[in-house]
Amino acid sequence: MRKLSLKHQVCIFISWVLVFKCSAGERDYFYETTNLTWEEARNHCQVCFKDLVTLTPENIQTIAREHNITSDCWVGLRKNSNSTSNSTMPWSRWANGDHLLFQNWYPGWPVFKSPERYFCIQQETTTPTTTSTTDTMVTPHTETDTTEFGGSTSEYSTLPTDYSTSPTQYSTSPNQNSTSTNDSWVINSQPPVESKCVPVLDVPRADTNYIEDSCVAMLSFGAWVEKNCLEVLPFICYEDRFFGHVNLTNRTSQSTVLTWQPGPGIISHYRIEVSVDKQVTNKQTDNLTYEFDSLTPGTRHSVKVFPVKCGRDLNPQEIVFYTTPNKVVNLTAINVTENSICLSWIKPAGNVDFYLIKVQGDKWHRSKVEHQEVNMLTPGTRYTFTVLSGVEDNSTWSEEFSISKYTKPGKVSNLRVFNNSKDSLVLNWMAPEGRVTGYRVKAMSQSNSSLFDEEVNKTEVVVGRLPAGTEITLTVAALAGGSSLEGDKETVVNYTSPGPISDLVLVTTYDSLNATWTLSDGNASSYTVELQLDGQTQDTKSEIKEPTVRFNNLKNSANYTVVVYAFVADIKGPPVTSSKFTKPSPPTNVTVVDIKKNNLTLKWTAPVNTSAATYSVTINSSFWEYSSSYTLDNKTSHTFYGLKSGTKYSFEVKTVADGDFSSPETASAYTVAEKREISLSMLCSSAEALLCDNSTTRNDVFDQLKAHFNKLLKNDIFWELTKQESENINT
């Protein structure tokens, strides 16, 4: 029965080996030949290393082979090492707490405790109505572990104390959960709670190789066996390979500070190994930092920091660094052209492997010598050149030494002159290729005296304070770096214009204009005179040598403008203008063409050879003491409204030019009369007989009445007086 149980357990164990796999991390292994107990060996490993070795399929053969193990030695596995787990399963974890995922037992190992057998009496389970007997029945029972690899013994390992005094309290029926075949006991579950069991004392409790609290020793070829943990054996420790990192701070040309990570476990001190030019020195410290001083600039230092544990160097933390090289001395720029600048400097103290030249911070050159020509530059551009001393790690540089220089600017082009005046002219040019910071503009007279010398920052400038009508030599040069660097000059020769004429006088007739003037400033070689009317040029006279000119066959009443220019070479002076009207001529054919009761239309003909004229028209009625004037521009008719019927109106039309009036042309007309008849009766009485009846008397009275109306109305109002006679015998 025990063999069956053992086979069952071994099968379960083998299935674990097939299911679980593991791989160790990067570790170092140490074979210690001192013989110690398992606990002593583990304590030593924990102090000077990490722990007793944890075995894997990958490291077990390597450890046995590389360390030349020739005897049994302790490894980090103990049956009941449960300090890191709540599990009660033996052989479930390594001493360091890792799960047991790999086993390499020598055949027959591990040895498990043999199962115990019990005689059990079950409590009666019949109903109260069933009659029970006083006989008891002993049922054999076999205890097994509750786990696959062992466990605690049954809590029913002894019979109760009242079994002998009260046997009737227990059932004679066999345990329903136990089975038997002939004399063989079958491994089954623990006795039921209601059972009471006692072990069979004549059966051996365990195999002779069974160890209650055993530790694992590895044989020289890698297999495992159990041994008493108090035996003294050599042992194998492991330690996770230490990987640290050294940091570099406060690095200068002669000093630096190193800091590093602490080693694992109890570190007694740190050993610092420094290699410079194949010379090795050692330093020691208890701290995690070390300051180096009095170093040589630009020098390579290889440093290893070893944590020392139990007198043993752990894996070193390493760093290689260069001290900062010194910066170069006396950086200067020589031989400056439009497209290149040559740099020169002096080597600094200490070590320098090469020099790095930066142009504007991004264009790089390397040099082994203390000079460098930088070409393919843009003309007139300010460049900042920076030189650094460098070492072979390509990341350690000296302080920067920088200078700024301009390349020579290019030459301006397309220089031209315009807007010449008597005391100034305008210069314009195209900027050269590249960049400029400004331009120097100069003007020289024929006698080589300086007339103008200024710096400007645009490509067009007014050159002033010049003499009128003078030949001027003008030069323009591009500048870079303020006025410190000047490009090649571009030159042009031109003239200022003569001054304006003065005292321009115009004299006109009906059809002519005469102009005279004087030259007020500078020289003039000729004159040009333009005659304009209504903004249009009517005539131009050029190359006039004398200051007078006459224009004929002009229109009357026209406002002519005369423009006079003085010339020097082909440079025209400023224009001087004056305007004057020709004399006006009177209109003709003034007539009234449309007569109505209350309005009249007057029409006339414009003077011969006139342009658009202005007319002054006057209407007058002496009877009504009415008079009104109108100014008409370029019109030859006008209608007068609001007039009185039957009234005589007189008209006067004059041509007007620049306030000058022509002689008037006149006309008159009556508005249509609105006739009304008024009857007058004359009563005549006289002492003289038949006097009133005398025709002569009546005619005389009628004539007197007509004379009265004529005196009163004259011919300013339409009126008629007629006589009608009637016979009245009583009159």
Side-chain angles (χ1 to χ4, degrees):
M1 180 63 65
R2 183 171 59 194
K3 290 181 180 179
L4 289 174
S5 176
L6 180 60
K7 287 180 181 179
H8 177 68
Q9 292 172 347
V10 170
C11 290
I12 294 175
F13 172 76
I14 292 173
S15 69
W16 269 42
V17 174
L18 294 176
V19 170
F20 292 103
K21 296 180 180 180
C22 71
S23 61
E26 189 168 358
R27 292 175 174 175
D28 293 321
Y29 302 94
F30 303 88
Y31 178 53
E32 299 290 304
T33 59
T34 302
N35 291 327
L36 298 176
T37 67
W38 190 90
E39 283 289 349
E40 292 171 339
R42 188 184 183 205
N43 289 338
H44 177 80
C45 290
Q46 289 179 325
V47 171
C48 293
F49 304 96
K50 181 71 177 288
D51 211 328
L52 278 170
V53 69
T54 298
L55 298 176
T56 68
E58 291 81 10
N59 69 6
I60 189 167
Q61 296 299 330
T62 301
I63 293 172
R65 180 176 65 255
E66 291 185 355
H67 293 280
N68 195 25
I69 297 175
T70 59
S71 64
D72 301 352
C73 55
W74 290 124
V75 297
L77 188 60
R78 188 171 186 171
K79 179 191 293 185
N80 297 319
S81 180
N82 298 322
S83 60
T84 60
S85 172
N86 295 326
S87 173
T88 59
M89 183 185 298
W91 315 116
S92 61
R93 290 182 181 269
W94 292 93
N96 67 354
D98 291 348
H99 288 285
L100 184 67
L101 304 179
F102 162 73
Q103 302 183 51
N104 193 35
W105 295 102
Y106 188 80
W109 300 93
V111 177
F112 295 95
K113 182 178 180 181
S114 298
E116 295 181 344
R117 291 186 300 169
Y118 297 84
F119 288 101
C120 301
I121 299 177
Q122 290 185 340
Q123 190 174 359
E124 183 175 354
T125 59
T126 57
T127 61
T129 57
T130 305
T131 303
S132 62
T133 64
T134 59
D135 294 335
T136 61
M137 179 177 180
V138 179
T139 304
H141 183 76
T142 301
E143 179 195 25
T144 63
D145 293 332
T146 60
T147 63
E148 293 175 324
F149 295 105
S152 61
T153 58
S154 171
E155 61 177 317
Y156 303 107
S157 59
T158 60
L159 288 173
T161 55
D162 59 349
Y163 173 74
S164 60
T165 58
S166 303
T168 59
Q169 297 178 17
Y170 298 91
S171 170
T172 58
S173 301
N175 184 356
Q176 299 296 323
N177 296 325
S178 63
T179 59
S180 63
T181 304
N182 297 330
D183 295 333
S184 298
W185 298 101
V186 179
I187 297 175
N188 208 339
S189 62
Q190 290 183 344
V193 175
E194 61 270 15
S195 301
K196 300 298 180 180
C197 305
V198 62
V200 181
L201 301 180
D202 59 341
V203 179
R205 294 178 60 88
D207 292 338
T208 57
N209 291 330
Y210 176 76
I211 303 172
E212 183 64 30
D213 184 17
S214 63
C215 297
V216 174
M218 185 180 74
L219 304 180
S220 61
F221 54 88
W224 303 354
V225 296
E226 292 181 275
K227 286 185 177 292
N228 191 310
C229 296
L230 297 178
E231 288 189 42
V232 292
L233 296 174
F235 53 93
I236 302 173
C237 300
Y238 84 90
E239 187 163 54
D240 294 329
R241 187 168 297 170
F242 174 62
F243 293 97
H245 179 70
V246 180
N247 289 318
L248 187 70
T249 58
N250 299 333
R251 177 170 54 176
T252 68
S253 61
Q254 295 182 314
S255 65
T256 191
V257 175
L258 297 183
T259 57
W260 53 84
Q261 295 175 293
I266 301 174
I267 303 300
S268 62
H269 63 276
Y270 295 90
R271 183 173 66 85
I272 306 171
E273 182 180 284
V274 184
S275 177
V276 179
D277 295 331
K278 299 183 180 180
Q279 298 294 321
V280 179
T281 59
N282 285 280
K283 304 178 184 298
Q284 182 173 313
T285 181
D286 296 333
N287 300 318
L288 296 176
T289 183
Y290 192 88
E291 182 176 1
F292 292 86
D293 55 13
S294 301
L295 305 178
T296 302
T299 303
R300 183 181 188 274
H301 297 73
S302 177
V303 179
K304 295 181 180 180
V305 180
F306 296 88
V308 179
K309 185 177 184 181
C310 295
R312 171 177 60 88
D313 288 348
L314 300 187
N315 194 47
Q317 306 176 67
E318 300 183 51
I319 190 172
V320 174
F321 71 91
Y322 282 81
T323 48
T324 304
N326 283 329
K327 71 176 182 178
V328 302
V329 180
N330 195 26
L331 175 61
T332 57
I334 57 176
N335 193 23
V336 177
T337 70
E338 292 182 6
N339 302 107
S340 67
I341 292 178
C342 187
L343 302 174
S344 177
W345 60 90
I346 297 174
K347 180 182 181 298
N351 296 320
V352 177
D353 294 323
F354 58 89
Y355 301 98
L356 188 66
I357 298 95
K358 295 192 293 184
V359 183
Q360 302 295 67
D362 58 1
K363 187 176 181 181
W364 299 68
H365 299 267
R366 291 173 73 101
S367 176
K368 289 284 188 179
V369 294
E370 285 73 36
H371 57 83
Q372 175 70 43
E373 183 180 56
V374 182
N375 49 31
M376 299 181 67
L377 303 180
T378 302
T381 302
R382 183 180 186 271
Y383 287 92
T384 298
F385 302 96
T386 302
V387 178
L388 302 91
S389 303
V391 291
E392 288 298 336
D393 68 348
N394 290 316
S395 62
T396 304
W397 308 99
S398 69
E399 294 181 41
E400 296 182 347
F401 196 133
S402 299
I403 61 171
S404 294
K405 287 291 181 181
Y406 283 85
T407 50
K408 183 179 178 181
K411 185 178 181 181
V412 303
S413 60
N414 196 26
L415 179 61
R416 62 191 185 95
V417 180
F418 59 97
N419 287 352
N420 304 61
S421 71
K422 69 172 185 175
D423 59 359
S424 68
L425 48 80
V426 178
L427 269 180
N428 179 278
W429 59 90
M430 290 185 62
E433 179 185 357
R435 300 177 182 175
V436 297
T437 56
Y439 302 92
R440 183 178 297 281
V441 181
K442 291 184 178 182
M444 307 293 290
S445 68
Q446 286 179 300
S447 61
N448 207 32
S449 61
S450 179
L451 302 174
F452 186 91
D453 188 349
E454 289 187 9
E455 291 181 17
V456 298
N457 57 7
K458 51 188 177 181
T459 59
E460 185 171 297
V461 63
V462 177
V463 180
R465 303 187 302 275
L466 303 177
T470 304
E471 181 182 287
I472 307 295
T473 299
L474 301 132
T475 61
V476 178
L479 301 176
S483 58
S484 62
L485 197 57
E486 187 173 310
D488 296 334
K489 297 176 181 178
E490 182 71 6
T491 303
V492 67
V493 176
N494 212 288
Y495 295 84
T496 52
S497 69
I501 61 114
S502 60
D503 301 327
L504 178 58
V505 177
L506 305 181
V507 178
T508 61
T509 67
Y510 290 103
D511 60 356
S512 67
L513 182 150
N514 189 74
T516 59
W517 63 88
T518 59
L519 182 64
S520 62
D521 192 10
N523 301 315
S525 58
S526 64
Y527 303 95
T528 294
V529 182
E530 293 180 2
L531 182 67
Q532 298 177 353
L533 179 62
D534 297 331
Q536 302 296 320
T537 299
Q538 304 297 310
D539 195 2
T540 300
K541 297 183 183 297
S542 302
E543 297 295 327
I544 298 174
K545 302 300 181 180
E546 299 298 326
T548 182
V549 70
R550 182 181 180 86
F551 296 96
N552 296 308
N553 301 318
L554 306 183
K555 294 181 178 181
N556 65 82
S557 303
N559 187 17
Y560 284 95
T561 298
V562 175
V563 183
V564 180
Y565 301 89
F567 276 81
V568 173
D570 59 346
I571 304 302
K572 183 167 60 175
V576 175
T577 64
S578 182
S579 298
K580 192 171 181 64
F581 279 86
T582 51
K583 297 296 183 179
S585 295
T588 59
N589 302 322
V590 178
T591 56
V592 178
V593 297
D594 190 14
I595 300 175
K596 299 280 193 322
K597 285 184 182 181
N598 302 111
N599 57 74
L600 294 172
T601 299
L602 187 66
K603 187 175 181 181
W604 61 93
T605 301
V608 177
N609 196 21
T610 187
S611 60
T614 300
Y615 301 96
S616 174
V617 180
T618 302
I619 183 172
N620 179 61
S621 171
S622 59
F623 179 81
W624 299 109
E625 295 181 353
Y626 167 78
S627 180
S628 181
S629 296
Y630 300 89
T631 299
L632 305 176
D633 291 329
N634 202 28
K635 292 179 62 177
T636 57
S637 66
H638 185 71
T639 300
F640 300 89
Y641 295 95
L643 305 182
K644 296 185 179 297
S645 64
T647 302
K648 179 184 178 181
Y649 289 92
S650 298
F651 302 95
E652 188 178 85
V653 181
K654 301 176 185 178
T655 305
V656 182
D658 194 24
D660 194 5
F661 293 86
S662 70
S663 58
E665 287 291 315
T666 62
S668 64
Y670 285 90
T671 53
V672 175
E674 185 177 352
K675 296 181 180 181
R676 294 182 181 180
E677 290 187 359
I678 300 175
S679 297
L680 298 177
S681 298
M682 183 178 68
L683 296 178
C684 180
S685 66
S686 173
E688 186 178 347
L690 301 176
L691 179 62
C692 293
D693 191 42
N694 189 338
S695 60
T696 302
T697 301
R698 290 194 297 267
N699 291 336
D700 184 56
V701 172
F702 178 79
D703 289 338
Q704 291 181 33
L705 181 62
K706 187 175 181 180
H708 173 74
F709 277 107
N710 188 53
K711 181 180 179 180
L712 178 65
L713 301 179
K714 302 180 183 178
N715 63 346
D716 295 331
I717 292 294
F718 173 81
W719 61 276
E720 290 180 349
L721 183 63
T722 60
K723 180 177 61 174
Q724 294 181 354
E725 295 185 5
S726 61
E727 295 293 337
N728 190 339
I729 60 173
N730 295 320
T731 299

